[in-house]
Amino acid sequence: MTSQVSSPAEQADGADSAVVGEQRTSAGDSGKDVRRLDRVIIRFAGDSGDGMQLTGDRFTSETASFGNDLSTLPNFPAEIRAPAGTLPGVSSFQLHFADHDILTPGDAPNVLVAMNPAALKANIGDVPRGAEVIVNTDEFTKRAMAKVGYAASPLEDGSLDGFHVHPVPLTTLTVEALKEFDLSRKEAERSKNMFALGLLSWMYHRPTEGTEKFLKQKFAKKPEIMKANLAAFHAGWNFGETTEDFAVSYEVAPASTAFPTGTYRNISGNLALAYGLIAASRQADLPLYLGSYPITPASDILHELSKHKNFGVRTFQAEDEIAGIGAALGAAFGGSLAVTTTSGPGVALKSETIGLAVSLELPLLVIDIQRGGPSTGLPTKTEQADLLQAMYGRNGEAPVPIVAPMTPADCFDAALEAARIAVTYRTPVLLLSDGYLANGSEPWRVPEVDALPDLRTQFAQGPNHTLDDGTEVFWPYKRDPQTLARPWAIPGTPGLEHRIGGIEKQDGTGNISYDPANHDFMVRTRQAKVDGIQVPDIEVDDPAGTARTLVLGWGSTYGPITAAVRRLRGAGEAIAQAHLRHLNPFPRNLGDVLKRYDKVVIPEMNLGQLATLIRAKYLVDAHSYNQVNGMPFKAEQLATALKEAIDG
């Protein structure tokens, strides 16, 4: 879904901090009051079979087409199908949308849609008093409530008195709306998520055309199911308009002042990575090859890239992680822009082949969509705990550049940057995204092709060294004096025959070498190549120039950190912010930046991995603020921690 925006950009300081504002306006067509809000946070929650992800995704798509700024947080169980109606089986989708620039999915929902008792119990603790709670009363049977530990109905025992509760028999209303269709009751009940979507679409004046088109396309081969879902969607809309329980609807104006001129679409982090990889292959004029093994939460990249054979993309779903990266490294040897995608457990399995890529000095993109660990850990929850594995998780001295995107949309640019480093310096590159970025979404300005970087590189064409006797030969490890990159020689090119393998190479010739001095030289040269990679200086956001505390982040903490910083500045506090995209090598000015501040605070979704690296390299007493609960930071939580750091 794309939309056109033609207003200049404005940054809304404190955007995530304001209490949701209301302003009564004229009555709507139905005679009900319409109130203007500057932002809203909605959470859809239900059983993993209730279609909450689809409901949230459709509401998000219509919100994006309307022109609001938005940020999403899907949250689903790791079990393929947890027992229905249980707490482990609850799936939710949170959407924060606004008429101004926002950065996070929001700390707490203003509206909770709970499809059953489990969804209510799992989420009500996050909902602030005074918020609206829409409950599917049909599911609140004694058996369903007992399954999640409710001794009495929360709809009747007074425990929800602090909320604006809307009891709606969603299942009954859906079945009634679909009685004209030739469907069983069970089939009709499956459309209750579309009823809920229609109700919320009316409640927040969302467009309907996109969802109608989506349903017609999705169920084109099942016309009766398509008509039933459309009917349920319209019934939900009509219910909101006619029932007395919903006396007010709400408007959130488009965020036209928050965006530069351009064409926008809603995009998730994994989709942005896939598009970035395709763009990188086109800009490098190289075929794109993905060797991968399905793993949560990285599989979507494999699924997406498999759709784009028309762009010269080849995807290979291997039998295991090691085969996936082995095939990718072979494709790199053959002259492709080679990629392998995985999560933390897969990186562990791929580590030996990453070391081989370091030794062979071939371009290879290793994309790690981090999740909770160790071992299988929390497959559907987010974490930033693979940084030290990315930095050191190989035998021997095997340095690898590391790049980390900041937001879902930034994954596109991070993919291009990782490809630039890989092909320019002939090295594997680790890109560290995470589950929060992978599944979350936000508006993305579609770039002009002319603005994309030129990533073309030259393959070796012939001999590059002259022996003492005048013979011209090809040396596979004769390096570029600026980048220290070795030649990229495509196998089968006449005159470029050379050995490859994991055993140490002799400098220049590439012959097998056990010479101690040569090994020392090669180890130091590979490290010098990574250390010498040209990366931009880190930029510091310190408007007044008077801050004594710097908050330093990396990866997906950008949104919560920036939102917290805005809150503090709105309260009159002076605080500086800097965010790292390049984690190996660090920007050259990072040491000087750190020394300018009395305190450095590093929030991370791990136990202090970046802080450990910063302390070791720069001898700075960086303060860690950590969280490893599988969820992203909340802005209010970080604002409180940073205020304590400022106050000392």
Side-chain angles (χ1 to χ4, degrees):
M1 187 72 70
T2 61
S3 58
Q4 291 287 337
V5 178
S6 57
S7 299
E10 288 183 8
Q11 292 299 318
D13 287 336
D16 278 13
S17 62
V19 175
V20 177
E22 293 187 2
Q23 180 181 353
R24 188 180 299 273
T25 61
S26 59
D29 294 339
S30 61
K32 296 184 177 183
D33 286 341
V34 179
R35 295 179 184 171
R36 169 67 63 86
L37 304 178
D38 61 358
R39 66 185 183 96
V40 174
I41 303 167
I42 298 174
R43 184 181 298 177
F44 298 93
D47 192 72
S48 57
D50 285 339
M52 294 296 93
Q53 302 303 319
L54 174 62
T55 305
D57 183 68
R58 291 313 315 158
F59 196 95
T60 298
S61 294
E62 298 296 2
T63 297
S65 69
F66 188 71
N68 295 118
D69 195 13
L70 61 91
S71 181
T72 68
L73 179 63
N75 189 12
F76 39 87
E79 290 80 1
I80 293 175
R81 190 66 176 93
T86 63
L87 293 175
V90 173
S91 175
S92 68
F93 189 105
Q94 183 162 305
L95 166 67
H96 183 190
F97 62 102
D99 64 4
H100 56 269
D101 174 35
I102 59 173
L103 298 156
T104 75
D107 287 358
N110 310 114
V111 182
L112 171 65
V113 180
M115 303 296 281
N116 60 19
L120 179 68
K121 187 162 190 177
N123 291 279
I124 194 65
D126 295 335
V127 182
R129 295 285 171 169
E132 298 195 65
V133 180
I134 300 172
V135 180
N136 180 14
T137 55
D138 287 325
E139 297 298 319
F140 279 72
T141 63
K142 288 185 178 180
R143 183 171 182 270
M145 289 186 290
K147 192 180 293 187
V148 295
Y150 279 130
S153 173
L155 306 181
E156 300 171 355
D157 64 4
S159 60
L160 300 179
D161 287 350
F163 306 96
H164 295 296
V165 179
H166 301 277
V168 180
L170 281 170
T171 307
T172 299
L173 291 171
T174 301
V175 172
E176 179 66 20
L178 304 185
K179 62 183 180 181
E180 64 183 87
F181 298 97
D182 185 22
L183 299 173
S184 68
R185 180 180 177 86
K186 185 175 182 179
E187 288 173 326
E189 287 179 0
R190 289 175 181 163
S191 296
K192 63 181 179 288
N193 64 323
M194 287 297 106
F195 188 101
L197 177 60
L199 172 58
L200 269 293
S201 297
W202 170 84
M203 196 171 172
Y204 289 96
H205 295 242
R206 298 296 91 186
T208 61
E209 294 81 5
T211 294
E212 292 168 349
K213 181 179 179 181
F214 169 82
L215 291 173
K216 290 175 182 177
Q217 292 176 340
K218 181 175 177 65
F219 299 108
K221 297 181 179 180
K222 299 179 179 179
E224 195 74 2
I225 300 297
M226 178 263 289
K227 293 176 183 177
N229 276 281
L230 283 170
F233 178 66
H234 292 144
W237 178 285
N238 294 333
F239 177 78
E241 193 166 58
T242 57
T243 183
E244 295 183 1
D245 192 35
F246 292 90
V248 178
S249 64
Y250 304 93
E251 285 185 347
V252 181
S256 58
T257 59
F259 301 123
T261 301
T263 300
Y264 287 80
R265 61 157 294 158
N266 184 50
I267 201 165
S268 68
N270 274 352
L271 184 58
L273 274 174
Y275 286 176
L277 293 170
I278 295 171
S281 75
R282 303 293 282 187
Q283 294 304 106
D285 196 21
L286 297 172
L288 179 63
Y289 183 94
L290 174 67
S292 186
Y293 178 75
I295 183 172
T296 302
S299 301
D300 288 342
I301 303 172
L302 170 62
H303 301 159
E304 182 62 33
L305 288 179
S306 68
K307 303 174 184 177
H308 297 287
K309 297 180 178 65
N310 56 312
F311 286 116
V313 179
R314 296 189 185 117
T315 54
F316 169 57
Q317 180 174 319
E319 68 271 22
D320 55 45
E321 295 282 3
I322 299 171
I325 190 173
L329 186 56
F333 180 57
S336 293
L337 180 61
V339 185
T340 188
T341 53
T342 188
S343 190
V347 174
L349 291 168
K350 296 176 189 290
S351 62
E352 183 178 5
T353 308
I354 297 173
L356 177 59
V358 171
S359 177
L360 297 182
E361 300 189 45
L362 287 171
L364 174 67
L365 303 185
V366 181
I367 296 178
D368 176 8
I369 313 297
Q370 300 168 95
R371 73 190 204 192
S375 189
T376 308
L378 306 173
T380 62
K381 310 303 179 184
T382 195
E383 203 165 278
Q384 284 184 300
D386 293 349
L387 177 56
L388 293 183
Q389 179 181 216
M391 187 75 75
Y392 301 121
R394 293 161 295 283
N395 65 298
E397 296 287 348
V400 173
I402 303 171
V403 175
M406 301 185 297
T407 67
D410 186 51
C411 288
F412 178 87
D413 296 316
L416 285 165
E417 175 63 0
R420 177 192 73 86
I421 293 172
V423 299
T424 302
Y425 296 90
R426 311 283 196 273
T427 178
V429 177
L430 264 157
L431 188 152
L432 295 181
S433 179
D434 59 40
Y436 172 36
L437 296 184
N439 298 313
S441 62
E442 65 177 353
W444 173 58
R445 184 172 182 260
V446 180
E448 298 293 335
V449 174
D450 292 344
L452 298 177
D454 184 351
L455 302 179
R456 288 174 294 183
T457 187
Q458 292 294 321
F459 293 121
Q461 300 298 319
N464 60 359
H465 184 75
T466 303
L467 299 177
D468 292 341
D469 62 3
T471 304
E472 292 186 337
V473 296
F474 174 67
W475 276 12
Y477 281 84
K478 185 171 184 177
R479 302 178 182 278
D480 180 283
Q482 276 74 46
T483 64
L484 299 182
R486 78 172 187 90
W488 195 356
I490 304 303
T493 306
L496 302 188
E497 296 85 357
H498 62 282
R499 289 187 182 89
I500 62 169
I503 298 177
E504 185 62 279
K505 320 294 189 300
Q506 184 182 46
D507 179 45
T509 68
N511 295 332
I512 292 174
S513 173
Y514 291 95
D515 179 63
N518 177 78
H519 177 59
D520 183 270
F521 178 81
M522 294 293 278
V523 166
R524 295 180 187 275
T525 301
R526 287 188 289 261
Q527 183 65 58
K529 181 171 69 170
V530 173
D531 291 342
I533 292 172
Q534 294 296 315
V535 303
D537 283 349
I538 191 169
E539 297 181 0
V540 181
D541 178 20
D542 187 1
T546 59
R548 304 313 310 153
T549 298
L550 171 71
V551 54
L552 179 68
W554 70 277
S556 66
T557 57
Y558 173 79
I561 289 174
T562 306
V565 167
R566 288 180 178 180
R567 292 189 183 205
L568 291 172
R569 289 176 181 166
E573 299 288 348
I575 186 168
Q577 178 187 359
H579 208 79
L580 287 166
R581 163 173 281 176
H582 297 90
L583 295 152
N584 193 29
F586 286 129
R588 283 166 175 72
N589 69 330
L590 180 57
D592 292 334
V593 167
L594 295 172
K595 292 175 184 176
R596 295 207 304 260
Y597 295 92
D598 297 336
K599 294 180 183 177
V600 176
V601 182
I602 303 179
E604 298 181 79
M605 292 186 291
N606 56 47
L607 295 182
Q609 297 187 14
L610 176 60
T612 297
L613 296 173
I614 292 295
R615 291 186 189 117
K617 185 173 181 65
Y618 299 106
L619 303 181
V620 170
D621 186 19
H623 299 264
S624 288
Y625 183 76
N626 311 116
Q627 172 177 297
V628 280
N629 61 5
M631 298 295 290
F633 285 113
K634 294 181 178 180
E636 181 63 30
Q637 166 194 2
L638 278 182
T640 300
L642 295 176
K643 180 65 166 63
E644 292 174 354
I646 293 171
D647 293 342

